[in-house]
Amino acid sequence: MPALEIIVNGAPRTVAPGATVADLLADLGIARGRVAVERNGAVLPRAEHGRCALVAGDRLEVVAFAGGG
Amino acid sequence: MPALEIIVNGAPRTVAPGATVADLLADLGIARGRVAVERNGAVLPRAEHGRCALVAGDRLEVVAFAGGG
Amino acid sequence: MPALEIIVNGAPRTVAPGATVADLLADLGIARGRVAVERNGAVLPRAEHGRCALVAGDRLEVVAFAGGG
Amino acid sequence: MPALEIIVNGAPRTVAPGATVADLLADLGIARGRVAVERNGAVLPRAEHGRCALVAGDRLEVVAFAGGG
Amino acid sequence: MSNDVWSVGGHTFGSRLLVGTGKYASIDQTRAAIAASGAEIVTVALRRVKLDRTKPSVLDAIPSGCTLLPNTAGCTTVDDAVRTARLSRELGMSELVKLEVIGDERTLYPDNAATVRAAEILVGDGFTVLPYCTADVVTVKRLCEVGCAAVMPLAAPIGSGLGILNPHIIKLILEMVDVPVIVDAGVGTASDAAVAMELGCDAVLMNTGIAAAKEPVLMAEAMREAVSAGRKAFRAGRMPRRAYATASSPETGLIGDGPAKLPNSPVS
Amino acid sequence: MSNDVWSVGGHTFGSRLLVGTGKYASIDQTRAAIAASGAEIVTVALRRVKLDRTKPSVLDAIPSGCTLLPNTAGCTTVDDAVRTARLSRELGMSELVKLEVIGDERTLYPDNAATVRAAEILVGDGFTVLPYCTADVVTVKRLCEVGCAAVMPLAAPIGSGLGILNPHIIKLILEMVDVPVIVDAGVGTASDAAVAMELGCDAVLMNTGIAAAKEPVLMAEAMREAVSAGRKAFRAGRMPRRAYATASSPETGLIGDGPAKLPNSPVS
Amino acid sequence: MSNDVWSVGGHTFGSRLLVGTGKYASIDQTRAAIAASGAEIVTVALRRVKLDRTKPSVLDAIPSGCTLLPNTAGCTTVDDAVRTARLSRELGMSELVKLEVIGDERTLYPDNAATVRAAEILVGDGFTVLPYCTADVVTVKRLCEVGCAAVMPLAAPIGSGLGILNPHIIKLILEMVDVPVIVDAGVGTASDAAVAMELGCDAVLMNTGIAAAKEPVLMAEAMREAVSAGRKAFRAGRMPRRAYATASSPETGLIGDGPAKLPNSPVS
Amino acid sequence: MSNDVWSVGGHTFGSRLLVGTGKYASIDQTRAAIAASGAEIVTVALRRVKLDRTKPSVLDAIPSGCTLLPNTAGCTTVDDAVRTARLSRELGMSELVKLEVIGDERTLYPDNAATVRAAEILVGDGFTVLPYCTADVVTVKRLCEVGCAAVMPLAAPIGSGLGILNPHIIKLILEMVDVPVIVDAGVGTASDAAVAMELGCDAVLMNTGIAAAKEPVLMAEAMREAVSAGRKAFRAGRMPRRAYATASSPETGLIGDGPAKLPNSPVS
């Protein structure tokens, strides 16, 4: 089965078939505690990160708080 | 044939059957040069005042310029 | 020996012959700790209040601190 | 008879014995109409320019109007 | 100087003072004040005729050469404003309209969002739209995008006479738009009008500042001169501000004993 | 309106703008600016003639009808100021003098105390003294007591163009003195001049505000109009300031279905 | 005094200073400045994580007791703002959001109309919305109508430090709304913050005013005191302004020969 | 921060707020307000004792650690002021004196010339003289020349509460003198005090601003904080003013479809 093409934070990325959002974050070395994820325009609650399998063409936003006013 | 009930500038008024807008203005003693007329929400061009027969329920606005800033 | 006429704070006053400034203040019921005295335009130091005998025509100012900005 | 040393506008100058203020101005090429002269701290009226003989040590100010606010 | 003109909607004007016709004591006073103001654009309102009696028309007060600028004052909805504008066009035979959609009664502040919508409709309808708005850069951008012929930010609440409360934002707007910027509302006295023009505004519109003065006709004259003065000062390029004084002339040549010790005339 | 004149030292003037003659690029520019300003009183400084060459006199720039107002600019002592005034009188054939005794080099602030002393001497000497001073009520009182014909408080440092930094104190001075009050120094642009006149000042004196503009002649014209505008606004009596908006016309008569629901034209 | 608290969205606060977390030199400086400010509400932005490296989180700089106020800074559409708010809620576990929809790049002025629409959506979505807006009475009314928990009018452009450019309009807004009014943007120094509070605002939000000072931590302390001082002055009820001086004490009792001729101490 | 002290006449102080003792409703209120103000220097006036009755002394209201600063308020001549100062020294056991020589009744403006003369006498007499004066650069120079330990220019008329009417001239004075500059008179609310300190003044003296507030004790606290805030802001070095907005963070990293298109959080 071929790898999946998705978009993460605006850039293309390839993930293994069956990979979940949690897998992706682990891959990226991102501690889950401090990020939020939007999938195809809707927030993906943290509780679902481990259940949600990625699909080809998914558009993810992975965000965190930064300094701002 | 009974008189027609219309609304002129927000107040009820009775006009004779067949009366035109021009007739109404003449009745009201209004010089046509300095007023504009709206009939049921649309401007009634001056050229049509004499042709436009009033219909029961018509809502007219007869307006003129006044001091303002 | 007749009483002496002096001016205290702009008003005439009579004192006994031989009276000192200290006597006057006592007479007036003024605690010496919180007033200063000027005699004929010059400050009379507190230490001299008891030594300074009044002379007819003396002009005294007896002043204290008051609220001000 | 020796020439006279005077001060004109803060600088030393030599004039011939017997020279008047008018002579000096003529020497300097100054039209009399537009200057005023002060001699030793006092204004010398124009009418006296021709009569006033210079004396050694005289301090003259020769002034005119200039642009100012 | 004679050719310092400005244009809006294809009309060209020499005077940069626009005046209203409300609040005067009489038609005669209105006429005299307009004449004294030298205004070439005069605003009028539209209202229902009184059906029972005739009275002199405000039009009698307006010099024949003037351009009428009907307003939609008092309108609080897009629909009322559009209908009022259309009736005004029918009356005035002109496509010019001063668009007002009021959003708050006490301050007579415009409803900017509704104003943008009404402007879009009226522009589509062929009007030359001059909208009253707050001094808000984004509203002004939108008004330009929908095709307004000018923008008319308020300087202070209508009829308040408080002057140019926020000159900085007027300057930001001037840097941002290509259409004429006309300060509308808030001018209370001559210097306010001059300040508006010195900022670089194309024109000033006022009514109460003249009509509510003790002597309106004299104030109209003052405003005429103030607008002209402010415009000329803008064109002339004011001196730079300096924290300290600066003497004017060479600092030599004063009377005194030795080397000249006093500067020549510092200027005021 | 034609008779809104003012007087100082027995002279009567129609123009309320006094101008200086320093800092211009040329005599021609000076002449054109003075003419454009409409000023009837023109200040000049006094300085030592250059002994070596002749150059055009500033007097060539001054229209024949104007009144010369020689100053004592640059003087820093009573004695220098008095001597300078006397020389100016000899030159100008007039008893008028703008008295300046400078007390600080960087700000060109006057030495008020020395100015009072010099004024007293010059008044005794028959001069009509117009003293430059700070906007200080006590100094102004003293200057009046010694017989000055006017007082000329500064609005901001000479040549700074900062405008009327403290309008409140100018108002206090106006309420306090009977002689003309002429704002001298600090006016940077037309609106500054208008503000001074709206406060109730009798006249404004300026030099750098005109001469240091990019286009001095156009600015001179702006200043002429601004002074006139400010004066007329003062005489006309400005509208009262209001915190809120005020509609102008009867709040009835707007189009709409039922009872008229919109106010007539609120005026700008 | 201890109970001079204020509330927004069901939260109650003692401090009336809200601070941002942008533009600091380091996380340590951020932390020290927030601590010095005494702020109980701290704004943060949301952005994409850098996928390649880990760096300290801004959250490390925020004292544990503080309430996070995520913003939607940088968003220019309703949709982006709504999505950003939802992500922030997911991150912050809180329903609070500082809503910004920017409409102009150079001034960072809000798009008020879009802000109202986004606010309506977010309120419907259960958010406690604190919208950044211009000081426009009609926009503020609309924001209240759609259920915002506070309004946050700008005092001057974001990051400009120009202070309260139009205090009058802030006062009009205060008289008009029931929710807290928080001045957001434009405060440049301590007195600006005090002025905002003296007008009657409920709180002040700032970032650059602290972070861009030469010594941010000291400025944070200054701002804490200034906000408190302004609030207390507002509550204390300032003295009336008077045109003239007023002596304080009975005008008798001074030294002097006859009847007392000098007033007692006039107060400063 | 703990060592941000200042000195006058050999005394060193931590608080930069000096307060008067006039106009309070009672001695108790005076005491509470002084305590709340944190002032370390407290002014008092001198007057003739009432010969007929005893009443509580103003001294009872002054915390024991405070330094008394007797004034010569109400004096209108050099002689009265000098005599009053000498009596105050006799009473207060201190060489400090706030010198006032009033030259105008309605504005309570000082007679600067007389003040300089009185200062010279008192300095010769061993006093540490803090003179009340107008914000006049030349007067201030003279006061320094005769040996005053500080200068105390007025910000606005005594008891007027009009605030810092001319900040520019206060700045010029600060650049010019080496002794402490204490703004005296005119402060009406907390932000006025902060502004004075932000200009760089060493301290502020006030009385009516506190005593005539509706709640003087709360206002005293506000003033204490405002003076401290203004001082800290001055020391911290305020951000530069900018005409436009400036975003704070890198302009990348916002959510969105393609390349990040939104700036990170612009800060308020």
Side-chain angles (χ1 to χ4, degrees), chain G residues 8-180:
Chain G
V8 65
H11 306 258
T12 296
F13 303 97
S15 167
R16 291 168 182 273
L17 174 57
L18 291 70
V19 299
T21 52
K23 277 193 170 172
Y24 286 97
S26 68
I27 287 286
D28 283 350
Q29 194 187 56
T30 313
R31 184 186 303 113
I34 295 173
S37 76
E40 294 171 7
I41 303 180
V42 178
T43 61
V44 289
L46 186 95
R47 72 173 164 186
R48 288 169 166 176
V49 295
K50 295 278 171 62
L51 298 183
D52 40 6
R53 66 177 183 86
T54 309
K55 62 168 203 173
S57 166
V58 67
L59 298 179
D60 299 336
I62 302 176
S64 58
C66 283
T67 298
L68 278 194
L69 177 60
N71 67 28
T72 64
C75 293
T76 60
T77 65
V78 171
D79 188 55
D80 280 351
V82 168
R83 286 166 60 200
T84 298
R86 286 172 178 161
L87 281 165
S88 292
R89 179 165 59 179
E90 169 72 6
L91 261 179
M93 309 297 167
S94 152
E95 80 297 354
L96 283 169
V97 64
K98 175 183 169 188
L99 175 63
E100 292 187 35
V101 187
I102 298 301
D104 178 67
E105 200 177 329
R106 194 173 54 155
T107 60
L108 295 178
Y109 254 53
D111 182 328
N112 286 323
T115 302
V116 171
R117 290 196 300 277
E120 189 160 20
I121 294 169
L122 290 171
V123 168
D125 219 19
F127 280 89
T128 296
V129 181
L130 289 72
Y132 161 70
C133 56
T134 66
D136 169 30
V137 298
V138 177
T139 296
V140 157
K141 265 191 354 186
R142 300 281 177 267
L143 291 168
C144 292
E145 285 164 8
V146 302
C148 289
V151 290
M152 307 213 294
L154 61 88
I158 289 176
S160 70
L162 294 172
I164 316 294
L165 290 180
N166 190 345
H168 185 72
I169 185 64
I170 301 289
K171 262 195 285 190
L172 291 181
I173 287 173
L174 282 162
E175 292 174 8
M176 155 175 269
V177 302
D178 291 326
V179 300

Side-chain angles (χ1 to χ4, degrees), chain A residues 8-51:
Chain A
V8 180
N9 285 357
R13 189 166 192 96
T14 307
V15 295
T20 63
V21 167
D23 294 336
L24 172 69
L25 295 179
D27 245 37
L28 294 168
I30 291 170
R32 281 162 60 192
R34 287 188 163 178
V35 300
V37 178
E38 185 194 68
R39 182 170 169 244
N40 300 328
V43 170
L44 186 76
R46 192 165 298 148
E48 305 188 12
H49 289 186
R51 291 195 292 266

Side-chain angles (χ1 to χ4, degrees), chain D:
Chain D
M1 213 169 124
L4 306 172
E5 281 272 314
I6 64 173
I7 305 285
V8 180
N9 286 356
R13 189 167 192 95
T14 307
V15 294
T20 63
V21 168
D23 295 334
L24 171 69
L25 295 179
D27 244 38
L28 293 168
I30 293 170
R32 281 164 60 194
R34 287 187 163 180
V35 300
V37 178
E38 184 194 69
R39 181 168 171 246
N40 300 327
V43 170
L44 187 75
R46 191 164 300 148
E48 305 190 13
H49 290 186
R51 289 197 291 267
C52 176
L54 293 161
V55 174
D58 270 354
R59 308 183 80 83
L60 298 188
E61 297 283 350
V62 184
V63 297
F65 283 137

Side-chain angles (χ1 to χ4, degrees), chain G residues 48 74 158 184 198 256 262 267-268, chain H residues 48 74 158 184 256 262 267-268:
Chain G
R48 288 169 166 176
I158 289 176
D184 181 11
E198 286 167 355
L262 282 174
V267 290
S268 294
Chain H
R48 287 168 167 176
I158 289 176
D184 180 12
L262 280 175
V267 292
S268 296

Side-chain angles (χ1 to χ4, degrees), chain F residues 209-235:
Chain F
I210 294 173
K214 284 198 193 114
E215 298 189 28
V217 180
L218 185 54
M219 186 58 95
E221 207 175 315
M223 291 296 188
R224 177 175 60 75
E225 291 178 347
V227 166
S228 176
R231 175 65 186 174
K232 283 174 181 163
F234 172 73
R235 290 171 58 216

